[in-house]
Amino acid sequence: MTDSLTLPVPEVLAAVYLVPASMPAEQATTQARAAITRHVAEPLRDIVRDMLDRPILTMRLRPASALPPVPARLQEYLGADPAHIQTVSEAAALITVRAVSFPGSPPMHELAARAAAAALAAEMDLPIVDTRVPQILSAGAALAALPGQDRRLPISHWVQVFLAAQAAGLCITTKGLGRFGLPELQLHNVPPQLGRPCTMALTGLASRLLSLWWGALRGDSRPAFVELPTMVEISGADVARAYQAAPGGSGQATVRLAFDPATEEHSDSFLTVLPPAGYTASAGEHLSGMCDALFGTDPPELRWVAPATEAMDRAMSTARQTMPDARARFVAGQLPPGAQMMVKHRVTRTRPQDQGEEFVWAYVTSWREAGTVLGNSADDAVRDPQIRAGRPVVIDAATIVDWALWIDGPGIVEGGWTNEVALHEDGPPEAQAGPPEAPGGPGGPQSG
């Protein structure tokens, strides 16, 4: 295995933004020049105005029928203003703002095209379209993402992160690194409970990688290829820089990158994020450890419950009766937005000295067969060393005693009957020293 990646460097990079307005190109250019003076700060202002006088920054009026449609559902996912979505979708013509530059820092093609388009749109109270994602932006948000006197470029304003559910977990990908000449990043088989922290970690990694990329391109020469390290360290400072926030945790994590070049002309190349070479546990456990290192974690909470009570029996019975309908909704993709399916299952004791039963939560990734659940453990089991947070787990549905829908922030929004019993029913004193239950992992539900 080599210690570096050889990545191709594009000869030139182009940025294209759209303004949903209809006017001749000459008029648009004139108005943009004046708008840039009013809306763009130095030192970028004069540079962009100068670029408008040269063919490296151009404006052109095009009919909407000649441009790919902007997907409305994607804009809803990205949180675009519904009025802006309507404005773009109903536009009969749009002004295309295009700029080109060589790869490197600062990325003048992106800065100039966005500045010119957003300044022009601000004058007319219109949104713009960043065609790289594509994403509809308000003129104000687009202008706010431009660097000021400090020349800082918060990557979270330029790189989007998308999550998609798959049978073995989440697939998390970036969209936007390509605007700088880099491949996009991707993570496969991410435990569902790690979607949010892995999104932040991937954005921090994008910021770190971009610094390495620009460092390799620094100088007068224009190489056809550059070498980047295979092993990259992410820190809390990288995440803070990506989001233009105060430094958070001081932890660090190391990941390995593998280059997966595009197989089709208009598709993206990717850098796949993997555990370091020689890592012996599962990829999910590596991601769990990475998130713990970067963002910290609360110590696991164990709740000791009485072996059996009438209330707990009723809770388990309710869960089992409602479980087929919950599974059907999960399989059909009909859960509430942001909801993750969880199940609590009985763990068989692995040592003769273990007494009682242990119940552990797991996040469901696939439930195609009614009798078998594929998932990722939400936490470490006390009695089974093979069940660890983030590690894939195959669950016999007959061992499931409860299910829940979990949304990051509100917590359990449906189900979780055994949790309610465990939280509100006090067992006898001796029960407090009985078998423990492992809760959901970082941010996960308390166990019942």
Side-chain angles (χ1 to χ4, degrees), residues 9-97:
V9 180
E11 292 184 6
V12 68
L13 294 173
V16 178
Y17 288 80
L18 307 177
V19 181
S22 180
M23 67 177 69
E26 296 79 5
Q27 180 183 350
T29 303
T30 300
Q31 290 192 17
R33 184 177 289 106
I36 290 166
T37 302
R38 288 187 285 270
H39 295 283
V40 180
E42 292 289 6
L44 190 58
R45 177 194 302 154
D46 287 345
I47 299 174
V48 178
R49 283 170 55 90
D50 179 64
M51 291 176 68
L52 270 174
D53 295 328
R54 296 185 287 165
I56 56 177
L57 176 56
T58 58
M59 294 189 173
R60 178 184 174 190
L61 181 64
R62 301 188 66 186
S65 58
L67 298 167
V70 178
R73 289 289 299 274
L74 174 61
Q75 305 315 306
E76 294 171 3
Y77 172 85
L78 293 172
D81 186 326
H84 290 167
I85 299 175
Q86 183 176 2
T87 297
V88 172
S89 62
E90 294 179 354
L94 301 97
I95 299 167
T96 63
V97 183

Side-chain angles (χ1 to χ4, degrees), residues 45-422:
R45 177 194 302 154
D46 287 345
I47 299 174
V48 178
R49 283 170 55 90
D50 179 64
M51 291 176 68
L52 270 174
D53 295 328
R54 296 185 287 165
I56 56 177
L57 176 56
T58 58
M59 294 189 173
R60 178 184 174 190
L61 181 64
R62 301 188 66 186
S65 58
L67 298 167
V70 178
R73 289 289 299 274
L74 174 61
Q75 305 315 306
E76 294 171 3
Y77 172 85
L78 293 172
D81 186 326
H84 290 167
I85 299 175
Q86 183 176 2
T87 297
V88 172
S89 62
E90 294 179 354
L94 301 97
I95 299 167
T96 63
V97 183
R98 183 177 187 271
V100 295
S101 69
F102 296 114
S105 178
M108 285 310 305
H109 60 294
E110 284 289 342
L111 303 183
R114 180 174 289 205
L120 177 61
E123 294 286 289
M124 297 181 285
D125 195 24
L126 292 172
I128 67 170
V129 180
D130 172 6
T131 64
R132 171 63 65 170
V133 177
Q135 181 182 14
I136 297 174
L137 298 167
S138 69
L143 290 167
L146 297 173
Q149 293 288 345
D150 58 9
R151 300 177 184 270
R152 292 182 180 177
L153 195 72
I155 296 306
S156 60
H157 291 299
W158 300 83
V159 176
Q160 296 293 326
V161 182
F162 296 93
L163 289 75
Q166 295 181 333
L170 299 175
C171 176
I172 304 182
T173 58
T174 64
K175 186 66 175 179
L177 278 174
R179 69 172 88 238
F180 307 114
L182 272 168
E184 301 296 342
L185 293 170
Q186 65 179 359
L187 269 171
H188 290 295
N189 304 334
V190 178
Q193 69 269 31
L194 300 181
R196 183 178 181 183
C198 278
T199 293
M200 298 173 64
L202 209 63
T203 307
L205 175 58
S207 180
R208 173 63 179 152
L209 199 61
L210 193 56
S211 296
L212 295 172
W213 175 251
W214 281 339
L217 293 174
R218 190 175 293 121
D220 296 331
S221 63
R222 297 194 181 100
F225 297 91
V226 299
E227 300 287 330
L228 293 185
T230 300
M231 306 288 283
V232 178
E233 194 171 74
I234 322 168
S235 68
D238 293 321
V239 178
R241 190 181 307 110
Y243 288 94
Q244 208 171 27
S250 58
Q252 297 179 330
T254 301
V255 298
R256 177 168 56 93
L257 301 176
F259 181 43
D260 295 315
T263 56
E264 298 179 2
E265 183 179 356
H266 297 293
S267 60
D268 291 322
S269 294
F270 284 95
L271 291 173
T272 302
V273 182
L274 303 166
Y279 187 82
T280 56
S282 68
E285 289 169 270
H286 172 256
L287 294 176
S288 180
M290 176 187 72
C291 293
D292 288 349
L294 293 176
F295 310 114
T297 182
D298 296 327
E301 176 186 349
L302 299 179
R303 184 168 296 278
W304 303 77
V305 297
T309 66
E310 183 177 345
M312 187 63 77
D313 287 344
R314 285 199 303 268
M316 291 184 180
S317 177
T318 300
R320 292 190 181 102
Q321 290 173 6
T322 55
M323 191 167 65
D325 177 67
R327 170 185 172 263
R329 290 160 57 200
F330 171 81
V331 173
Q334 296 176 348
L335 300 185
Q340 297 174 1
M341 183 80 174
M342 302 187 71
V343 294
K344 182 188 288 185
H345 62 109
R346 181 185 296 106
V347 175
T348 304
R349 60 193 180 102
T350 59
R351 301 174 302 179
Q353 64 268 33
D354 289 336
Q355 300 297 318
E357 296 176 316
E358 180 181 4
F359 299 92
V360 181
W361 283 102
Y363 291 81
V364 179
T365 57
S366 178
W367 203 344
R368 295 179 180 176
E369 300 294 332
T372 303
V373 178
L374 304 182
N376 289 98
S377 184
D379 219 312
D380 297 345
V382 174
R383 291 198 168 94
D384 189 341
Q386 298 304 312
I387 297 179
R388 290 294 176 263
R391 183 178 294 183
V393 60
V394 180
I395 301 169
D396 181 351
T399 66
I400 296 175
V401 299
D402 201 355
W403 64 269
L405 298 186
W406 170 268
I407 296 179
D408 191 21
I412 290 179
V413 296
E414 190 176 340
W417 292 274
T418 59
N419 271 27
E420 289 298 315
V421 174

